[in-house]
Amino acid sequence: MLGLAGLVGSRRSEIAEALFGIVKTHAGGISLRSSKESFVERRFKSPSEAIRNGFALLTENRKSTGLFMNFTAQPNVTIAAIRKIMKRAFLLLRKEGVVAKSLVDKLAISPQALVSTVGTLSGGNQQKVLIARWLFSDADIFILDEPTRGIDVGAKVEVYVTINEITRAGKGVILISADMDELLAMSDRIAVVQEKTIVDVFDKEAISKQELLERAYISGHRKEL
Amino acid sequence: MGIKIETATKSGIKANRKIGTGSSIIGPLIAVLIITLLVALSSDRFLTTANLKNVILQVSIVSLITIGSTIVIIAGGIDLSSGSSIALLTMILATFSRGLGLNLPASILVTIVFGGVLGSWNGFLTAYCRIPAFITTVASMTIFRGLAFLFNNGSPIFNISEKLTNLFYGSVIGIPLVVLYIIFFYGIGHLVMKYTEFGRKIYAVGGNPDAARYSGINVKRIVMMSFIVAGIMSAMASILMAARLNSGSPNYGVGLELSAIAAAVIGGASLDGGRGNILSSLLGALTITIVQNGLNLNAVPTSIQSIITGFIILLAVFIDMWKDDLVELLRNGMKKGKA
């Protein structure tokens, strides 16, 4: 797991958006392992292309770029992989209900999510609905942008547990956070971001919280001067 | 509120199929029943066979446009050009069939294709040129009307084809053909919106376009397609319009777009996008048509009819905007009543 550390304003989210094909990139691409030895250089032109290639992006702002507030959990969970609940040209609403129910159970989301709109749920439940969406999409690489911001402590712990399950299943996670404790606890490697550019990469063991903060702060501060 | 269907799964757990994208059919049903009752009370000519037949013929045209308007509204847009599209398309049908001597089925096909072209124009400007749907379609409203007047020096074209009138007035085993059209198009519309990927994406794009994009939906394409569907449905309505008086006219369809939008809104479609129900829109179309029929039966002058139609649209949108608060109010009132 890779952590991206950066202060608010370091435009770290733009790296995620560039990876996901939302903002256009001028340079750089993604190396995807196509077999054991060979890598392919890719640059996604749209989120749908990124999703097809196994990427998932949990955005920083779940209200504006994540959830469909007026819908219940079912369509919110299945939307990124809708083909999985289709038979020929048709949606299998019953199957969708079963799928959503099992994810709601698995992530301990309030069962209320299945009958009322997600707009009425707590922040933690909303965030878990979004995590359910990307689990359902069978992504291999999860880009999680501030996944624990604005949710209560209990939900935070559940989110951490889920992230650990994802990595244990052999999938990649890129965690973006301004919370250095969170990054140090969760990541294997940490990259420091300033002005949407990675300036440093450390192994977790090689850096302390104090050093990490200094790196993020000084580089950000220097920019301002 | 969507229609709630619960199904038992293998493990015995209830899986809920409610998705929250639809709107309740109860409101529009009550609306149409109340209006029918009022109109029937106001005129004893309402419940005559001749008049009811007339209502069915009238509703067929409005209801076909309403399908397109509903889909565009659910996708977060609005289509104000459908009335003018219909005028233009009746002129195209008449010109191809009578002026150029093309046979009727081919002329109808050409009309449908042109309907798709008009829809693409609206869709292209809205989705790819980022002009708000309201502005795009207001502009199209006057452009299409103007284009309609370019045909035949702006005069109507009469006597298109005897076969054409049969498409409107005909019946099969006692069932008027227009009823079959309504059943056919509403059946397909309902199926598409509820049970296909395209329908689901329409709801998603209208519900939250940014979230739709981040979920891998090609938002522009979906908006474009919603307008193409609307254009094709306008073409279908224009064929019936032309068949009614066996003619094409640049003056047809004035104000029809507002009736169709009002029908969709009465049917519970939200102008914010993401919410609506095709079948409820049919009830909305019925409501609007019966109101207009009632006004005609009571010999209300056109000026007053126009004013009343305007107020109905305001009322429908008002209810749409305040719906949640009204429900809340009713619920609290009921709780107080119990306590």
Side-chain angles (χ1 to χ4, degrees):
Chain A
M1 179 195 285
L2 173 70
L4 288 185
L7 300 176
V8 174
S10 63
R11 302 172 78 186
R12 58 234 146 100
S13 299
E14 279 186 38
I15 294 178
E17 293 187 339
L19 282 174
F20 210 59
I22 287 159
V23 291
K24 290 205 175 76
T25 49
H26 300 295
I30 307 159
S31 293
L32 293 180
R33 185 190 289 259
S34 60
S35 66
K36 268 189 180 159
E37 284 94 32
S38 60
F39 290 85
V40 230
E41 192 82 355
R42 288 296 300 273
R43 201 186 297 176
F44 302 131
K45 286 190 285 293
S46 67
S48 69
E49 199 183 343
I51 292 168
R52 271 200 305 279
N53 283 284
F55 277 73
L57 172 60
L58 185 78
T59 60
E60 182 179 26
N61 193 332
R62 59 177 171 267
K63 280 197 174 72
S64 65
T65 52
L67 292 165
F68 300 96
M69 287 296 187
N70 284 327
F71 301 169
T72 59
Q74 290 86 316
N76 270 294
V77 166
T78 57
I79 193 72
I82 195 121
R83 299 251 156 94
K84 281 178 73 184
I85 54 151
M86 284 175 67
K87 191 176 178 189
R88 292 204 190 90
F90 295 102
L91 301 177
L92 305 171
L93 296 188
R94 188 173 306 185
K95 186 174 175 190
E96 179 174 52
V98 174
V99 159
K101 171 91 171 84
S102 74
L103 277 162
V104 161
D105 289 347
K106 189 178 164 204
L107 297 180
I109 300 168
S110 158
Q112 198 60 34
L114 295 169
V115 285
S116 30
T117 57
V118 296
T120 62
L121 302 175
S122 69
N125 279 309
Q126 289 180 347
Q127 193 69 304
K128 286 191 280 182
V129 167
L130 282 175
I131 292 174
R133 174 188 298 169
W134 296 116
L135 288 177
F136 183 64
S137 78
D138 293 325
D140 293 316
I141 295 177
F142 290 73
I143 308 166
L144 308 176
D145 195 352
E146 295 283 359
T148 59
R149 190 161 70 182
I151 69 180
D152 61 277
V153 183
K156 252 185 197 180
V157 173
E158 284 165 2
V159 168
Y160 292 142
V161 169
T162 309
I163 295 175
N164 283 332
E165 275 174 18
I166 293 169
T167 50
R168 213 174 301 133
K171 301 184 171 188
V173 173
I174 300 173
L175 178 66
I176 303 175
S177 181
D179 181 340
M180 302 302 159
D181 290 322
E182 182 173 294
L183 282 170
L184 284 166
M186 301 296 293
S187 323
D188 302 312
R189 285 190 305 155
I190 297 173
V192 178
V193 179
Q194 85 170 43
E195 269 300 302
K196 61 183 174 174
T197 311
I198 293 176
V199 290
D200 268 321
V201 183
F202 303 99
D203 278 337
K204 172 169 81 169
E205 289 77 17
I207 191 159
S208 70
K209 182 187 175 187
Q210 188 62 33
E211 285 172 305
L212 192 59
L213 262 172
E214 273 169 15
R215 289 282 181 175
Y217 182 71
I218 289 166
S219 44
H221 194 63
R222 197 188 295 139
K223 265 277 150 180
E224 273 166 37
L225 294 174
Chain B
M1 296 288 272
I3 300 161
K4 191 172 147 184
I5 308 161
E6 284 193 336
T7 45
T9 58
K10 257 186 232 163
S11 54
I13 324 160
K14 295 266 175 146
N16 206 299
R17 284 162 63 181
K18 185 179 168 182
I19 50 180
T21 52
S23 51
S24 171
I25 206 159
I26 311 246
L29 199 62
I30 292 171
V32 80
L33 289 178
I34 289 176
I35 291 296
T36 308
L37 192 71
L38 286 178
V39 172
L41 287 176
S42 77
S43 167
D44 47 12
R45 275 180 300 159
F46 178 72
L47 288 174
T48 56
T49 332
N51 185 58
L52 289 179
K53 249 186 184 165
N54 188 27
V55 168
I56 289 171
L57 290 176
Q58 283 220 343
V59 85
S60 68
I61 295 175
V62 179
S63 66
L64 292 196
I65 314 165
T66 301
I67 295 177
S69 299
T70 304
I71 291 175
V72 168
I73 287 173
I74 293 174
I78 193 156
D79 183 7
L80 289 157
S81 70
S82 51
S84 298
S85 302
I86 282 168
L88 175 55
L89 290 165
T90 62
M91 290 307 277
I92 288 173
L93 176 63
T95 303
F96 272 90
S97 167
R98 215 176 131 73
L100 303 173
L102 203 64
N103 66 39
L104 189 62
S107 305
I108 286 177
L109 200 68
V110 168
T111 307
I112 295 169
V113 170
F114 269 99
V117 170
L118 299 184
S120 314
W121 164 258
N122 284 333
F124 177 75
L125 291 174
T126 305
Y128 294 94
C129 302
R130 294 191 195 168
I131 301 171
F134 181 86
I135 304 295
T136 299
T137 58
V138 162
S140 293
M141 181 165 96
T142 90
I143 293 171
F144 295 168
R145 183 72 64 186
L147 286 174
F149 275 99
L150 287 181
F151 287 81
N152 199 32
N153 297 320
S155 310
I157 302 172
F158 297 105
N159 295 320
I160 300 175
S161 155
E162 278 311 313
K163 279 183 262 167
L164 183 63
T165 46
N166 284 337
L167 287 180
F168 189 62
Y169 296 102
S171 60
V172 172
I173 46 166
I175 306 167
L177 281 177
V178 291
V179 171
L180 298 180
Y181 303 149
I182 293 174
I183 293 172
F184 177 75
F185 285 111
Y186 272 86
I188 291 188
H190 178 67
L191 210 66
V192 166
M193 291 307 283
K194 190 159 185 195
Y195 295 101
T196 71
E197 185 181 4
F198 174 65
R200 180 61 66 83
K201 286 182 173 175
I202 291 269
Y203 280 108
V205 165
N208 184 345
D210 287 324
R213 191 159 75 102
Y214 280 74
S215 306
I217 296 173
N218 187 338
V219 174
K220 289 175 183 167
R221 208 183 57 147
I222 295 292
V223 169
M224 175 96 183
M225 283 169 77
S226 74
F227 277 103
I228 293 177
V229 170
I232 289 173
M233 289 320 297
S234 290
M236 298 299 175
S238 79
I239 293 160
L240 297 185
M241 194 70 151
R244 189 163 72 164
L245 292 173
N246 198 13
S247 62
S249 164
N251 289 309
Y252 279 163
V254 174
L256 260 184
E257 65 284 336
L258 291 182
S259 297
I261 291 165
V265 173
I266 292 170
S270 164
L271 290 174
D272 292 334
R275 202 157 54 169
N277 178 336
I278 289 280
L279 295 183
S280 299
S281 288
L282 177 58
L283 295 175
L286 257 175
T287 308
I288 278 283
T289 310
I290 291 172
V291 167
Q292 281 161 356
N293 182 254
L295 296 175
N296 279 330
L297 290 178
N298 288 294
V300 176
T302 357
S303 50
I304 306 293
Q305 285 203 19
S306 180
I307 293 169
I308 292 178
T309 310
F311 271 102
I312 290 173
I313 293 168
L314 283 179
L315 182 69
V317 177
F318 179 82
I319 292 175
D320 169 46
M321 290 302 166
W322 293 89
K323 196 158 42 190
D324 296 340
D325 300 73
L326 288 174
V327 170
E328 187 91 351
L329 210 70
L330 281 175
R331 248 186 223 142
N332 289 343
M334 262 154 61
K335 266 183 204 157
K336 265 182 201 159
K338 274 180 193 167

